[in-house]
Amino acid sequence: MSLALRTAALALLAATASAPAWAFSFTSSSYTTSATATAEGLTDSLADSSATTPLPLQTLANAAGLQDFANATAVAEEGLLTATTYADSLGAAAGAEAQVRFVGSFADSGRLRFSFDFGSDASASGGSTSGLLTVLITSSLNGSSSTLLSRSIATTGSQSFEFTLAAGSVSTLDLQLLSNAATTGLGQSAQHFAQAGFAVAAVPEPGTWALMALGLAGLAWRVRRPSGGSAA
């Protein structure tokens, strides 16, 4: 490819990629965190919200008795949710729960891609642990609401989903990350870590790719065609 064609092609790609139809943004969004820890009849429970506290949010709960201990931490950052729980018993029972939630609304139409990356790690000696990412995507148009995706994810890995949204629709993405750790008796311990990253991006329509291909073909013909005149 000649330098002139390469330069023109790059300019076309840059112009298309920056077009408003490719952009995505939430019209409103909120993060909330909550943490609860219980040990020997003692309970510590706290919550926070991005409506009152700027990101990152970090909520920490601790409950410590003479023999039992529990700790829960919930953290919310832009596009990232993290929950950690720990319980340790020398006598009775202890438990911890951490929850992080994101709710975002958007009015974009066209095709959108939702990507999620869920990670979970646990260790337990006689105790129990659990972690879960719940994903709910709904869309409403002219007073009618529909569920595009409802899924509970407990297996570590990445997943992507694509949907075409009608013009004029208002949609909502609701994510909840949960971590639990619990013990029930002497010498038990349990620890759990869960994390979820997410992203939403507009997907170019097939017509956009077709226009790009036509543009590149036109540029190639223009650069390669022979000059219009010849020397006398």
Side-chain angles (χ1 to χ4, degrees):
M1 181 184 289
S2 69
L3 177 60
L5 180 57
R6 183 181 293 111
T7 303
L10 290 175
L12 178 62
L13 287 171
T16 307
S18 61
W22 287 38
F24 173 85
S25 62
F26 288 102
T27 54
S28 65
S29 63
S30 66
Y31 291 82
T32 55
T33 53
S34 63
T36 302
T38 303
E40 294 184 26
L42 303 173
T43 298
D44 186 21
S45 184
L46 298 169
D48 207 348
S49 169
S50 60
T52 56
T53 305
L55 294 178
L57 300 178
Q58 179 169 307
T59 303
L60 175 65
N62 287 299
L66 295 176
Q67 296 180 305
D68 307 319
F69 172 79
N71 168 275
T73 304
V75 179
E77 303 173 72
E78 194 71 44
L80 185 65
L81 316 178
T82 306
T84 306
T85 50
Y86 176 74
D88 188 274
S89 296
L90 291 177
E97 178 179 289
Q99 181 172 314
V100 192
R101 185 179 184 184
F102 170 83
V103 178
S105 298
F106 50 95
D108 293 60
S109 60
R111 195 156 187 82
L112 295 180
R113 178 185 294 116
F114 299 82
S115 301
F116 309 98
D117 189 3
F118 174 69
S120 178
D121 189 29
S123 63
S125 176
S128 62
T129 64
S130 63
L132 188 69
L133 173 64
T134 302
V135 182
L136 177 64
I137 303 175
T138 58
S139 184
S140 60
L141 178 65
N142 299 327
S144 178
S145 181
S146 61
T147 299
L148 302 180
L149 178 68
S150 180
R151 183 159 299 189
S152 296
I153 302 173
T155 304
T156 295
S158 300
Q159 299 187 39
S160 292
F161 306 91
E162 291 188 10
F163 304 98
T164 299
L165 305 177
S169 62
V170 177
S171 305
T172 301
L173 170 62
D174 189 339
L175 299 175
Q176 294 188 64
L177 179 69
L178 186 66
S179 172
N180 280 287
T183 56
T184 57
L186 175 65
Q188 295 185 0
S189 65
Q191 184 172 6
H192 185 267
F193 169 84
Q195 190 170 69
F198 65 95
V200 184
V203 179
E205 295 291 342
T208 304
W209 293 115
L211 286 174
M212 288 178 60
L214 286 173
L216 288 172
L219 286 170
W221 175 82
R222 188 179 184 86
V223 171
R224 294 177 181 175
R225 68 174 181 171
S227 57
S230 59

